[in-house]
Amino acid sequence: MKRAIPVLVLSVAGLIPLWRYTPSHDSGSTSSSATEAAAPASTPSASSSGGTATTVVSGSTLDTEKGPVQVEVTFDGDKIASVRMLQQPNHPQTTAAVPKLIEETLQAQSADIDTVSGATITSDGYKESLQAAIDARG
């Protein structure tokens, strides 16, 4: 019994760094804010199908400390019909957050959406890229 307590304490102490570890895919950048990359939002491409115009616009690519973020928005007339991630960080929180961000975008029909807890950096990059796509459409 005298050995069990120190073994338990040391085991937990050894696991703490593992629990706190988050892989980083940046290239040495320590900035915590998203910075816009050189790639601006693309120009809209439109097609007409039965009276309503469908427009696909790519947002700006934003380099975040977790990795690049870029969205592509499909507009059906004035309505946001779908959003697709062209670039996203390879991170578990991002993978879980993207469907929530897209769902909120389709409900709000704007970039004025809530940040997903645990994926703040990706959420901020997503919203900036989304707003750039909305602005590029006009």
Side-chain angles (χ1 to χ4, degrees):
M1 185 67 177
K2 289 182 181 181
R3 291 184 187 174
I5 292 174
V7 168
L8 180 63
V9 170
L10 291 173
S11 295
V12 170
L15 289 174
I16 289 173
L18 180 64
W19 290 328
R20 295 183 50 117
Y21 176 75
T22 57
S24 179
H25 297 286
D26 63 16
S27 58
S29 172
T30 58
S31 172
S32 63
S33 65
T35 55
E36 192 164 339
S42 70
T43 56
S45 61
S47 65
S48 182
S49 59
T52 60
T54 301
T55 308
V56 179
V57 182
S58 296
S60 298
T61 301
L62 293 145
D63 288 324
T64 69
E65 66 181 64
K66 298 290 184 183
V69 176
Q70 183 182 26
V71 301
E72 178 183 82
V73 182
T74 302
F75 295 92
D76 189 9
D78 290 335
K79 183 180 175 187
I80 297 174
S82 67
V83 180
R84 183 171 71 106
M85 293 293 285
L86 295 178
Q87 296 184 60
Q88 72 184 45
N90 184 17
H91 201 268
Q93 285 93 348
T94 298
T95 304
V98 168
K100 294 174 187 175
L101 293 167
I102 292 172
E103 181 181 336
E104 283 193 39
T105 301
L106 296 176
Q107 288 176 358
Q109 290 294 304
S110 74
D112 186 21
I113 59 174
D114 291 333
T115 299
V116 176
S117 179
T120 304
I121 294 168
T122 300
S123 296
D124 290 344
Y126 172 91
K127 289 190 285 187
E128 285 188 49
S129 184
L130 176 63
Q131 187 62 55
I134 292 170
D135 292 345
R137 182 180 178 279

